DNA sequence: TCATTAATTTAGGATTTCATCATATAACAA
DNA sequence: TTGTTATATGATGAAATCCTAAATTAATGA
């Protein structure tokens, strides 16, 4: 049987599911390594992430299930690559967003140091 | 105290954490509603998502904690908006990726119907 | 060909963690 | 006080992670 995504689930569920597939540091690390090089062997991913083989393999399986990566066996080794360029885009946008968040939070922090009155609270609760 | 993100966590952990904040259908729904209109009141978000107020409020709190949205009280109502344009970008890229996944999976499905030999397996395992 | 070694994946299980959702209560503005 | 939104609490269940061990697959050499 060919593994098909949920064609009938509402799009926002599918989308949430996609993000669930990305929601682990090891998997992010793997995707970043794959975004740098067009192909990476499992051995190199083990080295790059510092994970045990079986642990990494399960994360790779998650990534495969979400259609984020493709695997190809060549001899003894299996090589992984990103399944679509949009996967790398996702990481790029995420980094850009986090940079913004960090710098503006940094700024707010400096501001609140300069004007030490309780201007902002725990999570900018209104 | 101003709520500051984890400045010292490795970036891939922060990134994974960001995706964790996005990994729920209700929150995706909320962000999509906010991407459509520059401002939405909680009442409208309740209507738009079909969630109970307290439930939605907790999801909003998650989104705030991740710095994805901003809240502003105006009289009785609280209005939410996206904290950064990159949040909308993230959704856009996600949709683009999912579209690709669905169409290529669709194609593979048709292919496997036309050539009914076991060409591909459960998750394109090598 | 058979046995051996290497690389990767799967099975099964224990643990933890996390997440969600409802009820009830609080805070806040008009 | 009334209406609107937020938090606390707690129960529940789900599920994600990570380990050990075993299985699969491919290359190599006797």
């Amino acid at each position: 049987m060919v593994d098909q995504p949920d064609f009938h689930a509402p799009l926002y569920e599918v989308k949430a599911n996609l993000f669930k597939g990305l929601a682990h540091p090891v998997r992010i690390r793997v995707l970043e390594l794959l975004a740098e090089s067009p192909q990476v062997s499992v051995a190199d991913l083990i080295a790059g992430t510092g994970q045990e083989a079986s642990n990494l393999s399960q994360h790779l399986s998650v990534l495969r299930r979400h259609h984020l990566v493709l695997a190809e066996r060549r001899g003894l080794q299996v090589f992984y690559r990103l399944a679509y360029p949009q996967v790398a885009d996702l990481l790029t946008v995420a980094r850009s967003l986090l940079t913004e968040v960090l710098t503006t939070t940094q700024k707010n922090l400096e501001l609140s140091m300069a004007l030490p009155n309780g201007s902002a609270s725990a999570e900018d609760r209104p």
Side-chain angles (χ1 to χ4, degrees), chain A:
Chain A
M1 253 328 211
V2 172
D3 176 44
Q4 55 208 267
D6 232 338
F7 283 113
H8 297 305
L11 195 52
Y12 51 86
E13 286 216 1
V14 181
K15 230 181 264 183
N17 211 44
L18 162 65
F19 290 124
K20 226 176 268 179
L22 297 165
H24 192 281
V26 170
R27 295 199 290 272
I28 294 292
R29 202 76 196 78
V30 167
L31 294 178
E32 283 177 342
L33 290 169
L34 296 180
E36 284 169 16
S37 328
Q39 285 204 341
V40 186
S41 70
V42 173
D44 285 351
L45 291 175
I46 290 174
T49 62
Q51 296 297 299
E52 278 199 25
S54 96
N55 193 1
L56 178 69
S57 174
Q58 291 183 80
H59 284 297
L60 289 174
S61 150
V62 172
L63 292 174
R64 265 182 279 141
R65 215 175 326 115
H66 286 273
H67 302 272
L68 296 171
V69 302
L70 294 176
E72 181 192 356
R73 167 156 240 142
R74 207 172 316 141
L76 277 182
Q77 296 183 307
V78 176
F79 291 86
Y80 278 82
R81 57 191 161 93
L82 296 186
Y84 304 92
Q86 285 96 336
V87 178
D89 297 348
L90 227 34
L91 297 178
T92 303
V93 177
R95 170 157 54 241
S96 156
L97 171 56
L98 289 175
T99 305
E100 285 284 314
V101 172
L102 290 181
T103 60
T104 70
T105 311
Q106 188 72 274
K107 275 203 200 88
N108 288 347
L109 190 57
E110 284 159 12
L111 255 174
S112 73
M113 302 290 266
L115 312 167
N117 50 354
S119 51
S121 93
E123 39 184 62
D124 290 318
R125 189 167 51 260

